Amino acid sequence: GAGVSQSPRYKVTKRGQDVALRCDPISGHVSLYWYRQALGQGPEFLTYFNYEAQQDKSGLPNDRFSAERPEGSISTLTIQRTEQRDSAMYRCASSPARGHEQYFGPGTRLTVT
Amino acid sequence: AQTVTQSQPEMSVQEAETVTLSCTYDTSENNYYLFWYKQPPSRQMILVIRQEAYKQQNATENRFSVNFQKAAKSFSLKISDSQLGDTAMYFCAFIYSGGSNYKLTFGKGTLLTVNP
């Protein structure tokens, strides 16, 4: 079946612009996670949804970052007023249930100039 | 808080040989899962193998196996008959399964190069 998809795959934006990153999880997966990965590092947790409920947003770096999953499927991670330090790979993962293995999408490479 | 440590930033192995990647973790919890993920040059994140902490038997997936030592908090990955396609960054990861958040905590990774 289809895996986790993310769009866009690459995004270049100017400092101060808003960006929206989309994640389409594996069909039927109830849990959805967002991670951020800097070059040469492991992914770091940003936020977690169980169905449509955002159950943990403790990893979001500041209030410029927000996420939603209104219908319990597709999720959007929004970064407002982007800064150069936001440049990274943003990864989405989904899981059939809490605690099970997570399957990652290809990521969105964000570059803020 | 849980931490995951991969002490080998880089390793290399000859094709067809066996290599072991190290991972240690620190937790006060008793119920958790451990994973190895592979990130090839394409930068996809691919699940390699999973281990439940309550299981004493080490997980195996074809050429990949783990040595899980719960008391020592050690979780190493053994790759047998290494292939050129195994060249990748390998990440060890931890999930605490007893709470309400199932976030993965990753190590910093080990870059494995398989030489022909």
Side-chain angles (χ1 to χ4, degrees):
Chain A
V4 179
S5 62
Q6 292 186 245
S7 61
R9 294 290 305 278
Y10 302 90
K11 177 70 177 177
V12 180
T13 190
K14 292 186 185 302
R15 184 164 53 97
Q17 298 293 306
D18 298 350
V19 295
L21 312 180
R22 173 186 164 123
C23 172
D24 197 345
I26 294 172
S27 177
H29 280 196
V30 304
S31 298
L32 186 145
Y33 302 78
W34 284 98
Y35 295 85
R36 180 168 70 173
Q37 185 177 15
L39 201 60
Q41 301 290 321
E44 293 186 339
F45 170 79
L46 295 177
T47 187
Y48 158 60
F49 290 86
N50 193 42
Y51 295 98
E52 71 282 359
Q54 187 174 24
Q55 298 205 326
D56 188 333
K57 54 182 181 179
S58 63
L60 296 177
N62 51 60
D63 60 8
R64 294 186 297 106
F65 288 72
S66 63
E68 63 175 9
R69 191 187 186 199
E71 296 179 1
S73 180
I74 293 169
S75 176
T76 302
L77 177 70
T78 301
I79 309 173
Q80 295 179 312
R81 305 181 302 281
T82 52
E83 301 178 5
Q84 285 189 321
R85 59 178 171 158
D86 299 334
S87 296
M89 176 75 85
Y90 288 84
R91 294 194 181 274
C92 172
S94 71
S95 173
R98 293 182 298 179
H100 287 213
E101 53 264 35
Q102 295 176 23
Y103 297 91
F104 283 81
T108 295
R109 162 77 65 194
L110 175 66
T111 302
V112 182
T113 62
Chain B
Q2 290 81 24
T3 59
V4 177
T5 302
Q6 295 179 249
S7 59
Q8 307 150 313
E10 295 186 34
M11 293 191 70
S12 63
V13 64
Q14 291 299 121
E15 196 176 6
E17 293 188 346
T18 295
V19 63
T20 299
L21 309 183
S22 301
C23 173
T24 59
Y25 57 95
D26 187 19
T27 183
S28 58
E29 307 298 344
N30 200 42
N31 300 316
Y32 52 88
Y33 298 91
L34 294 161
F35 304 88
W36 279 96
Y37 280 88
K38 169 184 176 181
Q39 188 171 72
S42 66
R43 298 212 76 197
Q44 286 273 13
M45 285 287 286
I46 302 165
L47 177 65
V48 175
I49 199 164
R50 151 190 167 148
Q51 175 79 43
E52 292 89 342
Y54 64 85
K55 288 187 178 179
Q56 292 187 327
Q57 187 172 4
N58 289 324
T60 63
E61 285 288 341
N62 301 311
R63 296 183 296 107
F64 298 86
S65 61
V66 299
N67 183 5
F68 173 49
Q69 301 289 328
K70 190 172 184 179
K73 295 181 183 175
S74 171
F75 183 61
S76 60
L77 175 69
K78 185 171 84 170
I79 306 174
S80 304
D81 186 26
S82 297
Q83 300 176 359
L84 296 178
D86 295 333
T87 292
M89 182 75 90
Y90 287 83
F91 292 99
C92 179
F94 173 103
I95 278 182
Y96 168 52
S97 57
S100 60
N101 181 334
Y102 291 79
K103 66 179 182 181
L104 281 161
T105 299
F106 286 88
K108 291 190 174 183
T110 296
L111 179 61
L112 176 67
T113 302
V114 180
N115 298 308

PDB file of all heavy atoms in Angstrom, chain B residues 93-114:
ATOM      1  N   ALA B  93      16.741   4.114  18.376  1.00  0.00           N
ATOM      2  CA  ALA B  93      15.659   4.943  18.900  1.00  0.00           C
ATOM      3  C   ALA B  93      14.890   4.207  19.988  1.00  0.00           C
ATOM      4  O   ALA B  93      14.846   2.970  20.012  1.00  0.00           O
ATOM      5  CB  ALA B  93      14.713   5.360  17.773  1.00  0.00           C
ATOM      6  N   PHE B  94      14.256   4.974  20.853  1.00  0.00           N
ATOM      7  CA  PHE B  94      13.594   4.484  22.072  1.00  0.00           C
ATOM      8  C   PHE B  94      12.193   5.061  22.145  1.00  0.00           C
ATOM      9  O   PHE B  94      11.981   6.246  21.836  1.00  0.00           O
ATOM     10  CB  PHE B  94      14.426   4.960  23.264  1.00  0.00           C
ATOM     11  CG  PHE B  94      13.832   4.693  24.619  1.00  0.00           C
ATOM     12  CD1 PHE B  94      14.302   3.668  25.408  1.00  0.00           C
ATOM     13  CD2 PHE B  94      12.821   5.506  25.131  1.00  0.00           C
ATOM     14  CE1 PHE B  94      13.779   3.435  26.672  1.00  0.00           C
ATOM     15  CE2 PHE B  94      12.284   5.283  26.385  1.00  0.00           C
ATOM     16  CZ  PHE B  94      12.766   4.240  27.159  1.00  0.00           C
ATOM     17  N   ILE B  95      11.237   4.224  22.535  1.00  0.00           N
ATOM     18  CA  ILE B  95       9.888   4.704  22.866  1.00  0.00           C
ATOM     19  C   ILE B  95       9.506   4.160  24.231  1.00  0.00           C
ATOM     20  O   ILE B  95       9.600   2.951  24.463  1.00  0.00           O
ATOM     21  CB  ILE B  95       8.837   4.227  21.843  1.00  0.00           C
ATOM     22  CG1 ILE B  95       8.811   5.101  20.600  1.00  0.00           C
ATOM     23  CG2 ILE B  95       7.438   4.243  22.449  1.00  0.00           C
ATOM     24  CD1 ILE B  95       7.761   4.693  19.597  1.00  0.00           C
ATOM     25  N   TYR B  96       9.048   5.037  25.119  1.00  0.00           N
ATOM     26  CA  TYR B  96       8.475   4.606  26.388  1.00  0.00           C
ATOM     27  C   TYR B  96       7.013   4.272  26.156  1.00  0.00           C
ATOM     28  O   TYR B  96       6.247   5.120  25.686  1.00  0.00           O
ATOM     29  CB  TYR B  96       8.623   5.712  27.432  1.00  0.00           C
ATOM     30  CG  TYR B  96       7.803   5.475  28.690  1.00  0.00           C
ATOM     31  CD1 TYR B  96       7.891   4.271  29.383  1.00  0.00           C
ATOM     32  CD2 TYR B  96       6.962   6.465  29.190  1.00  0.00           C
ATOM     33  CE1 TYR B  96       7.144   4.052  30.531  1.00  0.00           C
ATOM     34  CE2 TYR B  96       6.222   6.257  30.340  1.00  0.00           C
ATOM     35  CZ  TYR B  96       6.306   5.052  31.009  1.00  0.00           C
ATOM     36  OH  TYR B  96       5.584   4.847  32.144  1.00  0.00           O
ATOM     37  N   SER B  97       6.621   3.053  26.464  1.00  0.00           N
ATOM     38  CA  SER B  97       5.280   2.597  26.105  1.00  0.00           C
ATOM     39  C   SER B  97       4.273   2.712  27.232  1.00  0.00           C
ATOM     40  O   SER B  97       3.117   2.332  27.072  1.00  0.00           O
ATOM     41  CB  SER B  97       5.344   1.143  25.633  1.00  0.00           C
ATOM     42  OG  SER B  97       5.919   0.318  26.638  1.00  0.00           O
ATOM     43  N   GLY B  98       4.677   3.240  28.383  1.00  0.00           N
ATOM     44  CA  GLY B  98       3.758   3.272  29.501  1.00  0.00           C
ATOM     45  C   GLY B  98       3.039   4.585  29.710  1.00  0.00           C
ATOM     46  O   GLY B  98       2.195   4.704  30.589  1.00  0.00           O
ATOM     47  N   GLY B  99       3.374   5.580  28.921  1.00  0.00           N
ATOM     48  CA  GLY B  99       2.746   6.891  29.110  1.00  0.00           C
ATOM     49  C   GLY B  99       1.758   7.206  28.012  1.00  0.00           C
ATOM     50  O   GLY B  99       1.298   6.322  27.298  1.00  0.00           O
ATOM     51  N   SER B 100       1.449   8.486  27.860  1.00  0.00           N
ATOM     52  CA  SER B 100       0.491   8.905  26.846  1.00  0.00           C
ATOM     53  C   SER B 100       1.152   9.430  25.593  1.00  0.00           C
ATOM     54  O   SER B 100       0.497   9.729  24.609  1.00  0.00           O
ATOM     55  CB  SER B 100      -0.425   9.990  27.426  1.00  0.00           C
ATOM     56  OG  SER B 100       0.363  11.093  27.833  1.00  0.00           O
ATOM     57  N   ASN B 101       2.442   9.579  25.639  1.00  0.00           N
ATOM     58  CA  ASN B 101       3.178  10.094  24.490  1.00  0.00           C
ATOM     59  C   ASN B 101       4.117   9.006  24.003  1.00  0.00           C
ATOM     60  O   ASN B 101       4.875   8.445  24.771  1.00  0.00           O
ATOM     61  CB  ASN B 101       3.966  11.339  24.903  1.00  0.00           C
ATOM     62  CG  ASN B 101       4.724  11.928  23.749  1.00  0.00           C
ATOM     63  OD1 ASN B 101       5.087  11.250  22.793  1.00  0.00           O
ATOM     64  ND2 ASN B 101       4.984  13.207  23.825  1.00  0.00           N
ATOM     65  N   TYR B 102       4.044   8.699  22.745  1.00  0.00           N
ATOM     66  CA  TYR B 102       4.871   7.646  22.184  1.00  0.00           C
ATOM     67  C   TYR B 102       5.909   8.213  21.233  1.00  0.00           C
ATOM     68  O   TYR B 102       6.189   7.646  20.189  1.00  0.00           O
ATOM     69  CB  TYR B 102       3.976   6.614  21.499  1.00  0.00           C
ATOM     70  CG  TYR B 102       3.153   5.849  22.502  1.00  0.00           C
ATOM     71  CD1 TYR B 102       2.017   6.405  23.052  1.00  0.00           C
ATOM     72  CD2 TYR B 102       3.549   4.600  22.934  1.00  0.00           C
ATOM     73  CE1 TYR B 102       1.275   5.720  23.993  1.00  0.00           C
ATOM     74  CE2 TYR B 102       2.802   3.898  23.876  1.00  0.00           C
ATOM     75  CZ  TYR B 102       1.667   4.466  24.407  1.00  0.00           C
ATOM     76  OH  TYR B 102       0.939   3.781  25.330  1.00  0.00           O
ATOM     77  N   LYS B 103       6.511   9.300  21.627  1.00  0.00           N
ATOM     78  CA  LYS B 103       7.508   9.913  20.753  1.00  0.00           C
ATOM     79  C   LYS B 103       8.779   9.087  20.754  1.00  0.00           C
ATOM     80  O   LYS B 103       9.166   8.471  21.740  1.00  0.00           O
ATOM     81  CB  LYS B 103       7.824  11.332  21.218  1.00  0.00           C
ATOM     82  CG  LYS B 103       8.516  11.410  22.572  1.00  0.00           C
ATOM     83  CD  LYS B 103       8.824  12.841  22.946  1.00  0.00           C
ATOM     84  CE  LYS B 103       9.559  12.900  24.274  1.00  0.00           C
ATOM     85  NZ  LYS B 103       9.857  14.301  24.658  1.00  0.00           N
ATOM     86  N   LEU B 104       9.423   9.076  19.603  1.00  0.00           N
ATOM     87  CA  LEU B 104      10.722   8.422  19.459  1.00  0.00           C
ATOM     88  C   LEU B 104      11.813   9.372  19.931  1.00  0.00           C
ATOM     89  O   LEU B 104      11.811  10.548  19.591  1.00  0.00           O
ATOM     90  CB  LEU B 104      10.976   8.057  17.997  1.00  0.00           C
ATOM     91  CG  LEU B 104      10.278   6.811  17.461  1.00  0.00           C
ATOM     92  CD1 LEU B 104      10.230   6.832  15.943  1.00  0.00           C
ATOM     93  CD2 LEU B 104      10.976   5.560  17.962  1.00  0.00           C
ATOM     94  N   THR B 105      12.749   8.829  20.704  1.00  0.00           N
ATOM     95  CA  THR B 105      13.965   9.550  21.060  1.00  0.00           C
ATOM     96  C   THR B 105      15.106   8.857  20.331  1.00  0.00           C
ATOM     97  O   THR B 105      15.328   7.654  20.510  1.00  0.00           O
ATOM     98  CB  THR B 105      14.206   9.520  22.576  1.00  0.00           C
ATOM     99  OG1 THR B 105      13.098  10.148  23.235  1.00  0.00           O
ATOM    100  CG2 THR B 105      15.481  10.275  22.921  1.00  0.00           C
ATOM    101  N   PHE B 106      15.820   9.622  19.516  1.00  0.00           N
ATOM    102  CA  PHE B 106      16.864   9.064  18.666  1.00  0.00           C
ATOM    103  C   PHE B 106      18.258   9.360  19.210  1.00  0.00           C
ATOM    104  O   PHE B 106      18.484  10.384  19.868  1.00  0.00           O
ATOM    105  CB  PHE B 106      16.781   9.686  17.264  1.00  0.00           C
ATOM    106  CG  PHE B 106      15.648   9.198  16.423  1.00  0.00           C
ATOM    107  CD1 PHE B 106      14.408   9.811  16.484  1.00  0.00           C
ATOM    108  CD2 PHE B 106      15.814   8.134  15.553  1.00  0.00           C
ATOM    109  CE1 PHE B 106      13.355   9.373  15.702  1.00  0.00           C
ATOM    110  CE2 PHE B 106      14.777   7.681  14.752  1.00  0.00           C
ATOM    111  CZ  PHE B 106      13.550   8.301  14.831  1.00  0.00           C
ATOM    112  N   GLY B 107      19.201   8.467  18.872  1.00  0.00           N
ATOM    113  CA  GLY B 107      20.609   8.775  19.044  1.00  0.00           C
ATOM    114  C   GLY B 107      21.083   9.657  17.899  1.00  0.00           C
ATOM    115  O   GLY B 107      20.317   9.985  16.989  1.00  0.00           O
ATOM    116  N   LYS B 108      22.366   9.999  17.930  1.00  0.00           N
ATOM    117  CA  LYS B 108      22.908  10.885  16.907  1.00  0.00           C
ATOM    118  C   LYS B 108      23.289  10.158  15.626  1.00  0.00           C
ATOM    119  O   LYS B 108      23.618  10.802  14.622  1.00  0.00           O
ATOM    120  CB  LYS B 108      24.114  11.645  17.452  1.00  0.00           C
ATOM    121  CG  LYS B 108      23.733  12.660  18.510  1.00  0.00           C
ATOM    122  CD  LYS B 108      24.893  13.572  18.854  1.00  0.00           C
ATOM    123  CE  LYS B 108      24.424  14.670  19.797  1.00  0.00           C
ATOM    124  NZ  LYS B 108      25.501  15.633  20.115  1.00  0.00           N
ATOM    125  N   GLY B 109      23.262   8.841  15.658  1.00  0.00           N
ATOM    126  CA  GLY B 109      23.495   8.083  14.444  1.00  0.00           C
ATOM    127  C   GLY B 109      24.922   7.590  14.283  1.00  0.00           C
ATOM    128  O   GLY B 109      25.869   8.152  14.843  1.00  0.00           O
ATOM    129  N   THR B 110      25.050   6.519  13.506  1.00  0.00           N
ATOM    130  CA  THR B 110      26.346   5.969  13.100  1.00  0.00           C
ATOM    131  C   THR B 110      26.342   5.851  11.582  1.00  0.00           C
ATOM    132  O   THR B 110      25.439   5.229  11.017  1.00  0.00           O
ATOM    133  CB  THR B 110      26.592   4.578  13.705  1.00  0.00           C
ATOM    134  OG1 THR B 110      26.662   4.681  15.123  1.00  0.00           O
ATOM    135  CG2 THR B 110      27.881   3.970  13.166  1.00  0.00           C
ATOM    136  N   LEU B 111      27.318   6.481  10.951  1.00  0.00           N
ATOM    137  CA  LEU B 111      27.439   6.397   9.494  1.00  0.00           C
ATOM    138  C   LEU B 111      28.227   5.147   9.134  1.00  0.00           C
ATOM    139  O   LEU B 111      29.404   5.040   9.467  1.00  0.00           O
ATOM    140  CB  LEU B 111      28.125   7.639   8.943  1.00  0.00           C
ATOM    141  CG  LEU B 111      28.323   7.659   7.429  1.00  0.00           C
ATOM    142  CD1 LEU B 111      26.979   7.586   6.709  1.00  0.00           C
ATOM    143  CD2 LEU B 111      29.110   8.892   6.994  1.00  0.00           C
ATOM    144  N   LEU B 112      27.551   4.202   8.492  1.00  0.00           N
ATOM    145  CA  LEU B 112      28.182   2.945   8.083  1.00  0.00           C
ATOM    146  C   LEU B 112      28.487   2.986   6.598  1.00  0.00           C
ATOM    147  O   LEU B 112      27.605   3.263   5.787  1.00  0.00           O
ATOM    148  CB  LEU B 112      27.269   1.758   8.387  1.00  0.00           C
ATOM    149  CG  LEU B 112      27.783   0.401   7.902  1.00  0.00           C
ATOM    150  CD1 LEU B 112      29.029  -0.009   8.677  1.00  0.00           C
ATOM    151  CD2 LEU B 112      26.700  -0.656   7.989  1.00  0.00           C
ATOM    152  N   THR B 113      29.722   2.686   6.258  1.00  0.00           N
ATOM    153  CA  THR B 113      30.127   2.580   4.858  1.00  0.00           C
ATOM    154  C   THR B 113      30.543   1.143   4.588  1.00  0.00           C
ATOM    155  O   THR B 113      31.402   0.595   5.302  1.00  0.00           O
ATOM    156  CB  THR B 113      31.298   3.518   4.545  1.00  0.00           C
ATOM    157  OG1 THR B 113      30.904   4.861   4.847  1.00  0.00           O
ATOM    158  CG2 THR B 113      31.693   3.418   3.078  1.00  0.00           C
ATOM    159  N   VAL B 114      29.917   0.552   3.568  1.00  0.00           N
ATOM    160  CA  VAL B 114      30.296  -0.800   3.146  1.00  0.00           C
ATOM    161  C   VAL B 114      31.183  -0.667   1.916  1.00  0.00           C
ATOM    162  O   VAL B 114      30.757  -0.110   0.892  1.00  0.00           O
ATOM    163  CB  VAL B 114      29.055  -1.660   2.840  1.00  0.00           C
ATOM    164  CG1 VAL B 114      29.485  -3.058   2.397  1.00  0.00           C
ATOM    165  CG2 VAL B 114      28.155  -1.727   4.065  1.00  0.00           C
TER     166      VAL B 114
END
